[in-house]
Amino acid sequence: MKHWWNSGEPWIWLTAASVTVSILAVVSLLLLIIWQGLGHFWPASVMEAEYQDHDGKITVLGEVRGEEVVPASRLQEMGIVVKGDLVTRYLLKTGNREILGMDFRWVLAENLQQQRYPKEVIVIERREWGNFYGYLQAVKEEGKVVSEGPEAWVELQTRLDRTLTLYEEIRNISKYDIGKVNHGLEQLRLVQRRLELNNDTDPAKQQQLADERVVLQARFEELNQQLANLYQAVNRDSFSAKVMDGRVVDISLANVVKVYRPNSLSGPEKLGFYVMKFWEFVSDEPREANTEGGIFPAIFGTVIMVLIMSVMVTPFGVIAAVYLHEYAKQNFLTRTIRVAVNNLAGIPSIVYGVFGLGFFVYFIGAKIDLWFFPEALPAPTFGTPGLLWASITLALLTLPVVIVSTEEGLARIPKSIREGSLALGATKAETLWRTVIPMASPAIMTGLILAIARAAGEVAPLMLVGVVKLAPALAIDNNTPFLHLDRKFMHLGFHIYDVGFQSPNVEAGRPLVYATAFLLVTVIVVLNLAAIWIRNQLREKYKALETA
Amino acid sequence: MKTTSSIVSILNDPIIIRRRHWRMLKDKLAKHAMTIGGISIIFCILLIFFYLLYVVWPLLLPAQMQVLHTLKVPAPTAGETVFLATEEQGEIGVRFTSKGHAVFFSLKNGAIISDNALAPAEATVTSFAAADPAGSVVAFGLNDGRMIVVKRVFDVSYPKNVRVIAPRLEYPLGKDPLRVDDHGKALTRLGVQVGEETHTVAAVTEDNRLVVTQLKKESSFLEESETLQRSSGELSLQQSQITHLRLEKEQRRLYMADQEGYIWQVSLQESTAPQIVHQVRVVGPQDQITSLEFLTEDISLLVGDSQGHITQWFLKRDANNNQILTKVREFDGQKAAITAIAPEERRKSFAAADKTGQVGIYHTTANRTVLITSASDSAIPQMVFAPRGNLLLVEDDAGNVLTWKVRNDHPEVSWSGLWQKVWYENYENPEYIWQSSASTNDFEPKFSLMPLAFGTLKAAFYAMLIAVPIAVLGAIYTAYFMAPRMRKIVKPTIEIMAALPTVVLGFLAGLWLAPAMEDYLVGMFTLLIGLPIGVLCFAVMWHYLPKGIRYHIPGGWEAALLIPVILFISWLSITLSHPLEVWLFGGNIRHWITTELGMRFDQRNALVVGIAMGMAVIPNIFSISEDAVFSVPKHLTVGSLALGATPWQTMTRVVILTASPGIFSAVMIGMGRAVGETMIVLMATGNTPVMEWNVFEGLRTLAANIAVEMPEAEVNSTHFRILFLSGLVLFIFTFFFNTLAEVVRQRLRRKYSSL
């Protein structure tokens, strides 16, 4: 034993344990995100039970969202009297925020009785006030009952389809058509302002502007009329439903996104529902201060920002790496540049944000506004955080990643290949362009992928240079110039921060945050795995070249 | 020969030559383009550094003053100036005189706009008082115990897009003189404040009484009119000779200075019975008080003495819970008797003029003498700041009115203000505080970077405490003991960990780990202790297992064997957490920590940050130290083993020693990352800028502070520049650590290649 101890064997076990701990931490972290992120879309069964509250017996109706065992004294601190040392309690999502005042409540397991899962419970996802749980009573048109009892469910479905179609139409008109008119009016205002600034009082131009304005105004009136009609149509139907405390409430179908009966769904139906919910999550717009609905704008914003960043970072990164590896003499200057590149990678990202805000937004952006967009002032065009500045800031941030990876790729190309090309009479530039860079392209690709992964996950600098919690319009739309680099945008990472920490109803938004985190982590892990795979392929390839 | 010449002739073909030139040109162009691209990387770094410095630089600049206009005193026959004032734009000045006139004049050319005689013909002016500058009210005390209150008003209009400012006078308390002293004695010192509901007048009479009169607005519902309810009280001052009287704008107390150098604090809690609370000597034994003013917001008193010292005093509670005037700081920039003090209206700055015509500009919070310059050749009895603090109006004894332009953008910042304890107004003691904005107006911004720097180091310390042992030990095992096949899986897994977005780590830390840890705190600690013990127990068991089983698994797979062990220990800790809590801590460890240990407990605390940020830093430290250990030349280790050392002995005596610079640089890089990490800290702490090492308390780091406050900071304000300064501090800090790490690594690489 003593010998064993002296040989240092225990220490080896301890070092092994630290590897195990790190690996387990990573794996359990990923599993946690996957479990919580994917679980959210599953249609949970709705439980009904009698609950002995401190003010008497009530019926509760809701989804069980969590379960925990807590020491009784901790509950007593909150003024809840319980027996025993440890108690089990459930987190129940009861929804019906406008009626009950809260979405969630903790219930003690021991006070729950007669738990049951009635088939006819309906869950309604609404445009405001969160989910509704209850029993369908009757479907109404213009306030008059048209269907009651079991048939009401079928009637509700058909009427909901009609309402949703109308709602989609409303959305299209108010978002695209009216958006286009507003954009046109704004452009006219800017043109007029520009004429004023240039002291151009040509009556012909003024007249033309006025004419165009009249046309747009007319179009606007027309669309507004259409909208008014649609709104009237959409508000036609409603239904009444009973909530858990026995009250019956009326809900307009215009407020309904989806109705389903989770307890009567079969396995495959649940699966179908799950897929549909997931699709809705990635393709829909957020509702209710981002705590419900989808995250499409955030995905879109992240993708477009990363694309613009890639366009900028790749050429610069490659040029810098080629210079360092192919052109520069290996002297003090190159060593300094290498240290500088490594430093650039080590600077905290928030410092890039500060720099981007000060230099790009307030310095360059303000100058651009002064020279090119004076008509819009004092409202800033580029002198405010936006997509362009966010992309440039992140390009600067990810530059070292591309440089290091490209240089590594260049270093792996055997000298014989360069020398062969030079011996055949090619100039250095031709050698680079025709042989070296094509061979290094997988390495460049690796660098780019890593840069994208880094940029997609970075949030701190973006908070300063252009990300917002809710962007009214996407960066690409059907108004000239189609790509709006000056717009603010939404971002997956910031979405996580915002919904998880800034939203008024954290508990309701939490599953969505997990789902968003799952999406983000999946994208980043896949990108990284791709980069690792390409790098390994590359190594194999050059090993073959070197031995050949 | 023929073939050669044909080749030569082909090569000399003009087209070929042109093409060759073109190719050479392209080659050259490419070379220059690449060089420019490479150098621009350095340029980027320099740009970031110099741009941050460029924004921060104005904080370090001293103030500047230059004369805009010099005038002869306008309308000298109207009497001597007792008070000067100007309006927002600094175009029109007004001079209140000892004969009770108000003379409005243009500051540009001295043209008199209007000269208003305010005192009634039957009385003479004996004293003067200015109320809070925001209200623009002044009062003249008369020799018959009455006074006149006037308000200066500047009407701004824009006919034809040109700004026109028209001055006029208003009488907020009526045009007729108001009775102050019921005995009708002359008022020799006067103080006045006009409020929304209540107006207070305090005066010293020629027969040495302090008279206080309060006017309360009473509105009657029936007549819908307002009447002023008058109440008054008085106090005998015996033989004291009062030189200054200052009434604070809250109208609850007043201060008087006497000939002997004492300041009297008088409470007006009961307006009918003013009461002397205490007297305190504020100047040296031989000196007199020559000037007494409130700092803006009337919390602090500024005292100028005959030696040129300026001291700041405010009320502090003493042991008996009495509020006593206490000296807070002193400015010794000037050498001659202080003749005038002009506080700025919106910042805690003030200017002081002395007998020799010197003017000093100071900032109290920053304890900073911003500028001392000579403004005149003779003494300066009157001086005032324009409301925006950009102009200083000075009248000297030679009969000149000078308008000085003052550029004093950032007086709030000084080395001592940023990094040392500062005694803020209404605080009991000097403290480190970061509080950049508040909802109220009467607010002293508190820009101490110490709590933020402390929070940064605290977060980094706890993160390193968790990350360094795990990462370095793990790296040693992975590089030296682990089976190659397993290493192929472990390394990429940890690389993936490095790629995890910090916002996800922060979110999990804040919303999952923090509540979970609060719930299972006991389990956390048992896990911390139980893990090494459990692992060692398993190692012993493994050692005594029959060889048949032991040799079944080759060496280098210990880490995999430990997976079930560690999972079991974790499960056990979590399961036992609540029963143990009930058994040891009465079921509520939070309560126990607060009452028994006397430590505050926040849900989002430094321990959560330490674990979350540790997770973020582990892969960085791991992969660099793993590289360092792995690239230790094989012949060194093989030699050591051949000489009979055990693997662990080889590890500690040979491998670690050789690789230590690499491990050091790994730790440095991890440190740099921990210091600058933003999202994790932002989400996993409460972001409270406190200075406590307590593990269970929150913190705020420099980086998180930037993220929180930068979007709200007004561009180019002091706050904005200080946030840039903290960015610059982070930049320099990480630059230093990274460069150090890089230099060490390059040395190590050279050493290895020579071995």
Side-chain angles (χ1 to χ4, degrees):
Chain A
M1 180 75 191
K2 198 175 170 209
H3 176 255
W4 177 76
W5 189 264
N6 283 341
S7 73
E9 193 82 355
W11 294 106
I12 298 180
W13 280 95
L14 281 182
T15 56
S18 52
V19 175
T20 317
V21 166
S22 335
I23 297 289
L24 282 179
V26 185
V27 172
S28 52
L29 202 96
L30 292 176
L31 287 179
L32 176 75
I33 295 172
I34 293 171
W35 173 249
Q36 296 271 12
L38 288 179
H40 165 54
F41 304 111
W42 192 256
S45 300
V46 179
M47 181 184 78
E48 191 178 38
E50 304 304 316
Y51 184 62
Q52 181 67 47
D53 209 349
H54 41 85
D55 349 288
K57 208 160 204 172
I58 53 168
T59 310
V60 288
L61 181 69
E63 292 173 24
V64 177
R65 278 300 178 83
E67 180 187 344
E68 66 172 21
V69 179
V70 284
S73 63
R74 213 178 289 167
L75 293 180
Q76 270 148 15
E77 204 175 57
M78 293 184 260
I80 303 167
V81 185
V82 282
K83 297 185 285 286
D85 283 337
L86 296 172
V87 279
T88 311
R89 58 176 188 168
Y90 299 117
L91 180 63
L92 211 58
K93 181 173 183 181
T94 53
N96 305 7
R97 196 186 310 150
E98 83 283 21
I99 306 165
L100 303 171
M102 55 189 174
D103 279 315
F104 291 87
R105 66 164 68 193
W106 284 103
V107 291
L108 297 174
E110 57 188 44
N111 292 354
L112 275 181
Q113 280 154 9
Q114 300 175 36
Q115 299 174 19
R116 54 195 182 265
Y117 296 88
K119 285 228 177 298
E120 58 278 12
V121 171
I122 56 167
V123 180
I124 304 168
E125 280 178 30
R126 297 183 289 182
R127 292 185 207 282
E128 50 190 13
W129 301 115
N131 278 7
F132 175 90
Y133 297 86
Y135 297 95
L136 183 63
Q137 299 287 76
V139 178
K140 298 178 181 175
E141 182 178 322
E142 308 273 3
K144 286 191 209 69
V145 176
V146 289
S147 175
E148 255 179 316
E151 307 89 61
W153 172 246
V154 184
E155 186 67 29
L156 183 65
Q157 302 279 323
T158 50
R159 283 179 187 256
L160 182 60
D161 284 345
R162 168 188 170 271
T163 313
L164 287 179
T165 322
L166 287 173
Y167 201 85
E168 186 62 19
E169 235 171 283
I170 291 178
R171 205 184 78 102
N172 282 340
I173 289 179
S174 53
K175 188 155 182 180
Y176 300 111
D177 299 346
I178 292 193
K180 197 161 183 100
V181 172
N182 283 337
H183 182 77
L185 284 171
E186 175 65 11
Q187 290 304 318
L188 287 181
R189 187 186 74 80
L190 291 179
V191 170
Q192 182 155 29
R193 176 82 184 124
R194 180 161 275 253
L195 289 180
E196 264 173 43
L197 286 178
N198 296 342
N199 286 325
D200 189 342
T201 49
D202 185 357
K205 284 181 190 166
Q206 295 289 350
Q207 187 55 45
Q208 194 193 343
L209 283 176
D211 291 348
E212 283 178 32
R213 192 167 293 136
V214 168
V215 173
L216 283 174
Q217 296 279 12
R219 172 92 181 119
F220 185 73
E221 290 303 323
E222 183 191 333
L223 287 170
N224 251 348
Q225 189 54 45
Q226 273 186 32
L227 266 186
N229 293 340
L230 281 170
Y231 271 119
Q232 206 170 8
V234 102
N235 281 324
R236 189 191 71 181
D237 296 337
S238 66
F239 64 92
S240 58
K242 194 174 77 175
V243 295
M244 70 187 201
D245 55 6
R247 271 183 282 179
V248 175
V249 290
D250 262 13
I251 296 173
S252 167
L253 272 182
N255 192 14
V256 175
V257 181
K258 191 184 291 152
V259 179
Y260 59 100
R261 296 197 286 194
N263 294 353
S264 62
L265 289 178
S266 65
E269 277 173 340
K270 281 193 176 182
L271 198 67
F273 183 87
Y274 181 86
V275 172
M276 185 185 71
K277 278 282 279 185
F278 192 81
W279 172 246
E280 192 188 285
F281 172 67
V282 292
S283 66
D284 234 3
E285 280 168 29
R287 299 193 310 264
E288 302 211 36
N290 294 352
T291 58
E292 299 277 346
I295 52 164
F296 178 70
I299 298 177
F300 187 84
T302 312
V303 169
I304 197 104
M305 182 209 60
V306 163
L307 281 181
I308 297 172
M309 177 216 78
S310 311
V311 169
M312 283 185 280
V313 74
T314 321
F316 281 106
V318 171
I319 285 176
V322 168
Y323 167 75
L324 276 180
H325 197 262
E326 305 287 327
Y327 282 100
K329 291 192 187 68
Q330 300 304 314
N331 53 17
F332 181 73
L333 180 70
T334 15
R335 272 207 299 281
T336 320
I337 297 183
R338 285 222 173 78
V339 173
V341 169
N342 275 314
N343 264 319
L344 208 53
I347 295 172
S349 56
I350 189 79
V351 176
Y352 284 96
V354 171
F355 172 74
L357 180 72
F359 186 71
F360 295 132
V361 177
Y362 290 138
F363 187 75
I364 295 186
K367 288 274 181 299
I368 291 179
D369 277 359
L370 215 55
W371 293 331
F372 301 108
F373 303 100
E375 69 272 16
L377 286 174
T381 312
F382 278 99
T384 178
L387 180 59
L388 179 68
W389 303 134
S391 308
I392 295 187
T393 306
L394 282 196
L396 200 59
L397 181 88
T398 50
L399 194 60
V401 180
V402 178
I403 295 177
V404 168
S405 171
T406 310
E407 225 199 321
E408 198 185 315
L410 290 172
R412 285 184 182 279
I413 297 172
K415 231 181 172 158
S416 54
I417 287 176
R418 286 193 195 86
E419 281 163 358
S421 168
L422 288 173
L424 287 172
T427 62
K428 195 163 185 178
E430 285 163 350
T431 305
L432 273 176
W433 190 244
R434 299 278 166 79
T435 58
V436 176
I437 300 227
M439 288 186 76
S441 58
I444 298 173
M445 202 63 211
T446 313
L448 184 60
I449 291 173
L450 289 177
I452 288 175
R454 171 100 199 260
E458 200 59 75
V459 178
L462 294 180
M463 288 164 73
L464 304 185
V465 292
V467 157
V468 284
K469 53 164 48 188
L470 193 64
L474 297 180
I476 294 183
D477 61 15
N478 56 352
N479 300 320
T480 46
F482 306 115
L483 174 61
H484 302 273
L485 288 175
D486 56 320
R487 281 198 185 154
K488 295 182 171 51
F489 62 104
M490 288 172 72
H491 182 271
L492 283 174
F494 184 73
H495 197 78
I496 294 175
Y497 168 65
D498 179 61
V499 181
F501 291 83
Q502 311 283 63
S503 104
N505 194 351
V506 173
E507 199 56 54
R510 189 193 297 249
L512 212 76
V513 186
Y514 273 110
T516 314
F518 166 73
L519 207 68
L520 185 61
V521 168
T522 312
V523 168
I524 286 170
V525 167
V526 166
L527 283 174
N528 272 283
L529 286 178
I532 292 173
W533 184 76
I534 293 180
R535 204 164 53 196
N536 287 345
Q537 290 297 101
L538 202 65
R539 279 186 192 158
E540 296 299 318
K541 194 170 133 197
Y542 289 119
K543 248 183 214 152
L545 259 183
E546 271 159 24
T547 48
Chain B
M1 290 310 280
K2 198 168 178 260
T3 50
T4 319
S5 68
S6 80
I7 287 173
V8 168
S9 73
I10 288 169
L11 286 178
N12 287 336
D13 184 12
I15 296 172
I16 298 286
I17 289 179
R18 227 177 303 143
R19 208 171 143 204
R20 197 156 60 220
H21 280 299
W22 173 230
R23 285 174 60 206
M24 290 303 155
L25 185 70
K26 272 206 291 190
D27 191 42
K28 245 186 210 145
L29 278 177
K31 184 178 171 184
H32 290 306
M34 297 294 173
T35 313
I36 290 169
I39 304 283
S40 64
I41 298 297
I42 291 207
F43 176 74
C44 275
I45 293 252
L46 291 179
L47 183 68
I48 294 180
F49 178 75
F50 281 108
Y51 186 75
L52 293 181
L53 199 62
Y54 164 80
V55 176
V56 169
W57 191 247
L59 291 180
L60 311 174
L61 295 179
Q64 286 174 340
M65 274 175 67
Q66 83 198 77
V67 185
L68 279 186
H69 313 291
T70 308
L71 312 169
K72 280 285 157 209
V73 170
T77 50
E80 281 174 34
T81 310
V82 289
F83 187 68
L84 275 173
T86 177
E87 36 69 55
E88 286 280 334
Q89 308 297 336
E91 288 180 12
I92 292 172
V94 56
R95 190 168 88 80
F96 294 96
T97 68
S98 56
K99 290 183 183 167
H101 284 235
V103 183
F104 289 99
F105 58 98
S106 158
L107 285 178
K108 265 188 207 124
N109 50 25
I112 297 166
I113 297 169
S114 63
D115 181 354
N116 312 280
L118 303 170
E122 69 276 11
T124 54
V125 171
T126 49
S127 58
F128 174 85
D132 186 56
S136 307
V137 171
V138 297
F140 291 98
L142 303 176
N143 64 344
D144 55 5
R146 296 184 301 167
M147 69 158 186
I148 305 163
V149 178
V150 290
K151 179 177 179 174
R152 53 187 190 276
V153 181
F154 297 91
D155 296 320
V156 184
S157 56
Y158 292 87
K160 291 175 196 162
N161 274 338
V162 181
R163 186 174 60 219
V164 175
I165 302 176
R168 63 189 168 87
L169 289 170
E170 264 180 15
Y171 298 87
L173 303 183
K175 205 155 185 174
D176 299 325
L178 276 169
R179 183 162 46 85
V180 176
D181 181 26
D182 293 333
H183 303 290
K185 298 289 183 192
L187 309 176
T188 56
R189 302 280 173 248
L190 188 65
V192 65
Q193 289 295 349
V194 175
E196 298 261 304
E197 294 295 320
T198 316
H199 320 301
T200 305
V201 184
V204 175
T205 57
E206 59 186 336
D207 54 354
N208 239 6
R209 285 174 299 123
L210 173 70
V211 183
V212 177
T213 303
Q214 212 157 52
L215 301 166
K216 272 205 175 74
K217 267 186 198 168
E218 298 225 330
S219 44
S220 93
F221 290 104
L222 291 176
E223 298 158 42
E224 288 190 355
S225 66
E226 287 179 339
T227 50
L228 288 175
Q229 197 69 36
R230 182 174 184 274
S231 60
S232 70
E234 63 174 67
L235 185 73
S236 170
L237 299 172
Q238 276 101 27
Q239 300 304 312
S240 310
Q241 285 199 320
I242 301 299
T243 56
H244 298 83
L245 189 157
R246 295 287 177 257
L247 175 64
E248 58 147 36
K249 71 173 184 182
E250 299 295 327
Q251 310 176 14
R252 282 196 298 248
R253 55 176 70 87
L254 64 83
Y255 300 97
M256 295 186 294
D258 68 12
Q259 199 78 43
E260 311 294 315
Y262 281 91
I263 289 188
W264 306 31
Q265 182 196 339
V266 179
S267 163
L268 303 182
Q269 231 45 302
E270 302 276 327
S271 62
T272 49
Q275 189 190 355
I276 297 169
V277 178
H278 77 120
Q279 297 172 341
V280 59
R281 193 179 174 86
V282 299
V283 291
Q286 307 297 320
D287 307 331
Q288 276 100 47
I289 299 170
T290 54
S291 188
L292 180 74
E293 293 292 344
F294 279 118
L295 192 61
T296 180
E297 300 309 329
D298 296 7
I299 296 165
S300 299
L301 273 177
L302 296 168
V303 179
D305 73 10
S306 48
Q307 294 293 318
H309 304 298
I310 304 155
T311 45
Q312 183 192 355
W313 300 72
F314 55 70
L315 296 176
K316 182 198 160 185
R317 281 185 197 284
D318 68 358
N320 304 325
N321 210 14
N322 294 322
Q323 291 203 309
I324 303 295
L325 267 188
T326 313
K327 183 159 122 183
V328 178
R329 51 179 76 85
E330 182 167 343
F331 297 95
D332 290 334
Q334 280 159 289
K335 297 289 165 247
I338 302 296
T339 52
I341 292 177
E344 242 185 78
E345 221 171 282
R346 289 159 202 178
R347 294 187 298 193
K348 301 282 177 188
S349 283
F350 68 94
D354 65 25
K355 231 176 177 161
T356 58
Q358 295 267 329
V359 167
I361 296 181
Y362 306 88
H363 192 273
T364 56
T365 317
N367 198 8
R368 179 174 170 195
T369 304
V370 186
L371 175 81
I372 289 186
T373 186
S374 175
S376 170
D377 296 330
S378 53
I380 298 174
Q382 295 299 332
M383 181 168 71
V384 72
F385 264 114
R388 289 183 185 173
N390 54 352
L391 292 178
L392 188 63
L393 232 59
V394 169
E395 184 183 323
D396 67 9
D397 268 351
N400 298 314
V401 174
L402 302 119
T403 311
W404 287 83
K405 187 178 166 57
V406 182
R407 255 207 87 143
N408 185 18
D409 292 334
H410 307 291
E412 302 95 332
V413 176
S414 65
W415 180 262
S416 67
L418 290 178
W419 299 107
Q420 289 171 11
K421 285 193 175 179
V422 175
W423 201 339
Y424 299 105
E425 286 184 341
N426 289 339
Y427 278 74
E428 296 297 309
N429 289 299
E431 275 176 69
Y432 297 114
I433 292 174
W434 172 270
Q435 194 183 3
S436 55
S437 55
S439 51
T440 52
N441 266 336
D442 54 336
F443 169 67
E444 188 178 27
K446 300 170 183 67
F447 294 125
S448 175
L449 287 181
M450 276 306 270
L452 306 179
F454 178 89
T456 309
L457 292 179
K458 181 179 167 189
F461 172 77
Y462 283 114
M464 297 309 272
L465 205 64
I466 286 164
V468 169
I470 294 186
V472 171
L473 292 182
I476 287 171
Y477 181 80
T478 311
Y480 194 71
F481 298 109
M482 191 180 276
R485 254 180 57 212
M486 190 176 171
R487 187 165 170 266
K488 259 191 196 159
I489 307 167
V490 168
K491 271 209 86 172
T493 314
I494 293 195
E495 269 177 48
I496 293 286
M497 190 173 166
L500 277 184
T502 53
V503 67
V504 171
L505 285 176
F507 148 68
L508 287 176
L511 284 190
W512 179 78
L513 182 64
M517 210 158 77
E518 188 188 10
D519 203 0
Y520 296 101
L521 199 60
V522 183
M524 272 303 297
F525 285 106
T526 48
L527 185 64
L528 220 59
I529 304 161
L531 209 56
I533 296 175
V535 167
L536 286 180
C537 289
F538 180 75
V540 174
M541 270 167 50
W542 186 254
H543 183 68
Y544 287 109
L545 269 185
K547 283 189 178 159
I549 303 175
R550 235 183 338 144
Y551 290 166
H552 207 70
I553 291 174
W557 285 88
E558 288 94 341
L561 283 175
L562 282 173
I563 290 179
V565 179
I566 289 177
L567 282 180
F568 174 74
I569 298 172
S570 313
W571 173 81
L572 198 69
S573 307
I574 298 297
T575 321
L576 288 181
S577 176
H578 282 147
L580 272 179
E581 194 175 342
V582 171
W583 180 49
L584 291 174
F585 305 104
N588 195 337
I589 189 168
R590 271 194 65 161
H591 186 71
W592 187 81
I593 287 172
T594 347
T595 50
E596 298 290 314
L597 299 182
M599 290 156 97
R600 261 177 60 93
F601 186 96
D602 300 333
Q603 189 192 58
R604 293 182 185 164
N605 54 39
L607 191 59
V608 177
V609 177
I611 292 175
M613 202 142 75
M615 286 280 286
V617 178
I618 283 174
N620 293 48
I621 303 181
F622 177 86
S623 67
I624 297 171
S625 26
E626 208 263 358
D627 277 347
V629 175
F630 193 70
S631 49
V632 169
K634 281 282 167 294
H635 56 256
L636 291 181
T637 55
V638 176
S640 162
L641 290 171
L643 289 171
T646 64
W648 182 253
Q649 281 166 339
T650 310
M651 184 80 241
T652 48
R653 313 270 163 86
V654 179
V655 178
I656 290 190
L657 282 187
T658 328
S660 58
I663 295 174
F664 170 77
S665 82
V667 172
M668 289 295 101
I669 284 176
M671 183 83 182
R673 173 132 192 230
V675 162
E677 181 49 56
T678 313
M679 290 319 286
I680 294 179
V681 194
L682 190 62
M683 297 160 94
T685 71
N687 287 312
T688 39
V690 289
M691 290 183 74
E692 290 287 339
W693 277 113
N694 181 359
V695 200
F696 301 116
E697 216 166 323
L699 49 91
R700 178 184 276 207
T701 69
L702 284 167
N705 185 56
I706 295 175
V708 171
E709 296 191 356
M710 191 60 120
E712 271 100 54
E714 185 194 336
V715 179
N716 291 343
S717 65
T718 305
H719 182 204
F720 181 81
R721 291 189 199 278
I722 288 180
L723 291 178
F724 266 76
L725 175 67
S726 44
L728 187 67
V729 169
L730 279 179
F731 180 93
I732 293 172
F733 198 81
T734 44
F735 192 88
F736 173 77
F737 277 108
N738 285 320
T739 312
L740 189 70
E742 194 56 30
V743 169
V744 168
R745 251 166 76 184
Q746 289 200 354
R747 283 230 176 135
L748 187 70
R749 222 169 279 153
R750 252 173 291 160
K751 198 171 99 186
Y752 280 161
S753 57
S754 69
L755 269 172

